[in-house]
């Protein structure tokens, strides 16, 4: 896809950042004289976030450039992202220019609320104009609401969705067009309630935010409204839970349904309370805090392969597959078997990766090596496996949460029943050696619980690697005991 | 606080679980013949979640028991949690009985919406009745909305808030009483919009949930509505952002403000869509998935010391501090510092405790020993700590999930900067030796990242234990290296 973006504000800049970090070149049009700086700022944030988001080998960044006119920007685009202000007249003018210049391009509007049929009005090719509504920060949040409206061209929607999935997003096709689609319906409803609460002096902006982020906000990062209530309903089931809820809808709990008037007074109150709540941080600092939090949450959910974490996992798998398809593993040097970031919950009270997680990473190295020599799930079902009988660990440096690490594994010796391994954990940024592990594994018959010779195939592959490693330098600390003088 | 809980459903059971896991004994009244089983199920979930929530030494579990009458249950309670159905007449009856039996107790209602003044009506001691509204799952989500109403007794509110903070929650005092308080205002608003969307066939329950959890749900796990918009507003500031928002409130984006009628048809539709969305999992499985996700999110935020993660961090600090202040055991023999069961998720594909969990248990031994010699949270804040530099592990036997184990720790040697330890893990049933660890720890200045002599007090206590252990037999495998002939 050759992409162009019209409008380089918070949303347009977020799209540009996502495209560039996915290796795409982007042509941009924005008449704002500050546009270049603002886009560069968003891209800086996005780069910082992606550096922590995934350990998968990153794609080479694409290039972006500002064009002198809209016509030049969209001149060779397959997809034009529209992110101009929410005024229908402006959007119509932009679409007319785009379709005059580049009729074959898909135009994807970032609008938060206009229906496709509103946007498509009087367009020469209405079916090529769709809504693709993203969420800020666009480079991190996976959701994009894709709406075609009654004039939708299914091939256009399919192409758009495939593209969004390719760049790590979760396209949600909204079948029936309505104003504000799905997510902003909810945001508007909450916003309305919140304005009343501030206006009536019931709660401050900080209290309202706390009521969200210490409670249901945590739930909604992983399950939505209905699944949450299904679980809360417990054994009685969803039907029972919903029926129960009926009366409450008539109670005064929902009375705040008028639209509050946004007076100067109310605006003052909100601005003042927001300063008191968040004014200790600059917007730039808050953006970094938000992004770091979102990255940590996405990775937490990736660990469970759930929701937005599953989207991230699929994205990573694709990046790894792309990298692996380039080269076969080279057995001649120490094997680089594990690449990952230190997870937030791996950190102890000293702020460093806790010691048992080192052994977990070393265990992952061993598992990866065993897989490589054919000691895999089907081998285990035959009642054969390797057990670790002895480990010596040296902790040589500390590593904090979020830091990227990789491992190397050297096969020191192999015999019929034993595998003698040497693992190392390095920081990825500077190759700094963080820890070593020397391990002895014993091949066992797991049913009888006793040592036995490994299968010939497994042994053959292990010996092949050991032979390739025979000329590597012997690690200095091999055979070291605890407390031995260095 | 001596606590009683009236009502053992999802919410009452969640309170009981949080109390028990915080070492409190709980008297419970619930006439439901299934109550004991339901509470035990919730407690099982909570135990599984807490085992992953924190590495801090857990408190000894409290006990809970069902009482034959409400009067017996509340007989000696300082705090009575009311979690009965949302019917004001039932609540009034319960309060009358409690205040007749135990007038000095604080009564904390879990109601989602009744105002304190409604609850307090005609009560002999209205000021002792408050709202403390938690969020499901109560044992994991930190938010509790605390509302006193116009008859509030400030001392009662203060005591309640201190207590909730003590058990790891985030009490949010709501100064003005309104129906449904804060959070449920928002939940009701979203719920109303969602019902319309399903009723009008715009989206299914699964699509609605995806519109939440892939987008703004991720934002709200860490920043609320106002802080999110402050950031989104960017450099132009909150005032500008809010002013812009004014017109949108008048647009048709917010038209869905009527209350939809909850007809049999609509209930059917929701139940059917929910089955299609989530029916592949049992409620029990969904509970576990939800809890595991929430634990991961809480830990992710703990890594940033932000929001609900900061609450968890403060809770952990307290657990560590408490563990450190416990009384010294008999120092003359090997120290029995850790007792626990092997958790189900500690088991690898061979069906045994996975190797990194052995080191986790050994690490717990080390932490417990360090606490014993005064290397605790306050010592850490002085920039002093012990780091493990070297470990040798022997795996001598396998252990399956659910099996009880205990550890012993022997101090082999102490000098100004070094601690030389020997740990063993035994099966509790038959004292069978499962694994040994020899560890060398180095005392460090954590700010400067270099070794330094331990504080005199810490050193004194370490030497005291080393002296007491001087006559113990030296472990045969002390100084062993990997692969050494036995």
């Amino acid at each position: 896809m050759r992409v162009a973006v019209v409008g380089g504000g918070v949303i347009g800049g977020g799209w540009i950042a996502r495209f560039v970090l996915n290796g795409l070149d982007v042509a941009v049009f924005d008449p704002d004289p500050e546009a270049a700086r603002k886009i560069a700022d968003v891209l800086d944030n996005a780069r910082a976030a992606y550096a922590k988001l995934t350990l998968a080998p990153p794609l080479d960044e694409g290039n972006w450039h500002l064009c002198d006119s809209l016509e030049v920007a969209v001149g060779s685009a397959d997809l034009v992202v529209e992110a101009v202000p929410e005024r229908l007249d402006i959007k119509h003018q932009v679409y007319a220019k785009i379709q005059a210049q580049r009729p074959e391009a898909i135009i994807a509007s970032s609008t938060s609320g206009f229906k496709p049929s509103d946007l498509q009005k009087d367009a020469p090719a209405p079916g090529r104009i769709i809504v693709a509504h993203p969420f800020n920060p666009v480079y991190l949040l996976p959701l994009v609401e894709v709406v075609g409206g009654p004039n939708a061209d299914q091939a256009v929607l399919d192409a758009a969705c495939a593209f969004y999935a390719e760049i790590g997003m979760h396209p949600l096709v909204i079948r029936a067009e309505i104003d504000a689609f799905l997510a902003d319906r909810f945001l508007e409803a909450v916003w309305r309630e919140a304005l009343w609460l501030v206006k009536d002096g019931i709660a401050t902006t900080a209290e309202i935010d706390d009521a969200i982020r210490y409670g249901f906000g945590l739930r909604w990062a992983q399950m939505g409204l209905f699944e949450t209530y299904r679980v809360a309903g417990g054994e009685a089931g969803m039907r029972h839970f919903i029926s129960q809820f009926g009366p409450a809808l008539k109670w005064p709990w929902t009375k705040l349904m008028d639209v509050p008037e946004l007076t100067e007074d109310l605006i003052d109150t909100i601005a003042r309370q927001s300063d008191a709540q968040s004014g200790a941080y600059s917007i730039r600092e808050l953006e970094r805090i938000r992004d770091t939090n979102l990255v940590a949450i996405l990775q937490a959910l990736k660990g469970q392969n759930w929701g937005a974490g599953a989207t991230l996992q699929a994205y990573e798998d694709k990046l790894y597959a792309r990298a692996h398809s380039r080269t076969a593993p080279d057995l001649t040097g120490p094997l680089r078997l594990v690449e990952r970031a230190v997870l937030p919950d791996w950190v102890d009270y000293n702020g460093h990766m806790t010691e048992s997680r080192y052994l977990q990473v070393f265990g992952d190295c061993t598992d990866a090596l065993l897989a490589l020599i054919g000691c895999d799930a089907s081998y285990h079902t035959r009642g054969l496996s390797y057990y670790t009988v002895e480990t010596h660990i040296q902790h040589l440096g500390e590593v904090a949460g979020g830091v990227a690490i990789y491992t190397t594994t050297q096969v020191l010796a192999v015999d019929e029943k034993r595998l003698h391994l040497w693992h190392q954990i390095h920081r990825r940024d500077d190759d700094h050696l963080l820890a070593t592990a020397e391990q002895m594994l014993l091949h066992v018959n797991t049913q009888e619980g006793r040592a036995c010779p490994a299968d010939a195939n497994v042994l053959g592959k292990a010996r092949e690697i050991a032979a390739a490693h025979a000329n590597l330098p012997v690690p200095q600390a091999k055979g070291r005991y605890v407390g031995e003088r260095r």
Side-chain angles (χ1 to χ4, degrees), chain A residues 289 339 361 374 473:
Chain A
I289 291 169
E339 304 237 7
V361 173

Side-chain angles (χ1 to χ4, degrees), chain A residues 3-22 24-26 28 39 42-43 46 50 64 79-84 108-111 131-146 160 163-165 167-171:
Chain A
V3 291
V5 175
V6 181
V10 171
I11 295 298
W15 276 120
I16 295 165
R18 189 178 271 274
F19 294 152
V20 164
L21 292 172
N22 277 282
L24 297 166
D25 295 332
V26 192
V28 181
I39 293 168
V42 176
L43 195 50
Y50 270 55
W64 67 277
L79 177 80
V80 180
V81 169
E82 172 267 299
V84 304
S109 174
S110 306
T111 181
V131 166
H133 175 222
F135 292 79
N136 189 44
V138 179
Y139 48 83
L140 278 182
L141 292 190
L143 184 64
V144 54
E145 292 178 318
V146 178
F163 171 67
Y164 296 125
I167 59 174
M169 302 185 85
H170 182 89

Side-chain angles (χ1 to χ4, degrees), chain A residues 281-339:
Chain A
Y281 299 102
S282 71
I283 296 295
R284 183 47 44 98
E285 287 169 325
L286 282 173
E287 284 170 349
R288 294 290 176 111
I289 291 169
R290 175 200 63 191
D291 288 359
T292 310
N293 288 339
L294 287 174
V295 164
I297 291 169
L298 287 168
Q299 286 180 329
L301 291 174
K302 193 191 81 172
Q304 318 307 322
N305 201 26
W306 186 263
T311 307
L312 176 56
Q313 181 68 65
Y315 178 65
E316 279 198 344
D317 288 348
K318 224 157 25 190
L319 289 178
Y320 277 117
R322 204 171 313 193
H324 287 173
S325 68
R326 287 180 210 142
T327 49
D330 170 17
L331 301 183
T332 57
L335 308 171
R336 199 158 157 158
L337 295 171
V338 175
E339 304 237 7

Side-chain angles (χ1 to χ4, degrees), chain A residues 28-39:
Chain A
V28 181
F29 177 67
D30 189 328
D32 178 359
E34 292 282 286
R37 182 188 59 78
K38 288 182 183 172
I39 293 168

Side-chain angles (χ1 to χ4, degrees), chain A residues 205 265-279:
Chain A
T205 60
D265 248 20
L266 180 50
I267 294 176
D268 264 352
T269 303
I270 293 174
R272 206 174 50 242
Q273 291 184 353
S274 174
D275 285 349
Q277 175 188 359
S278 316

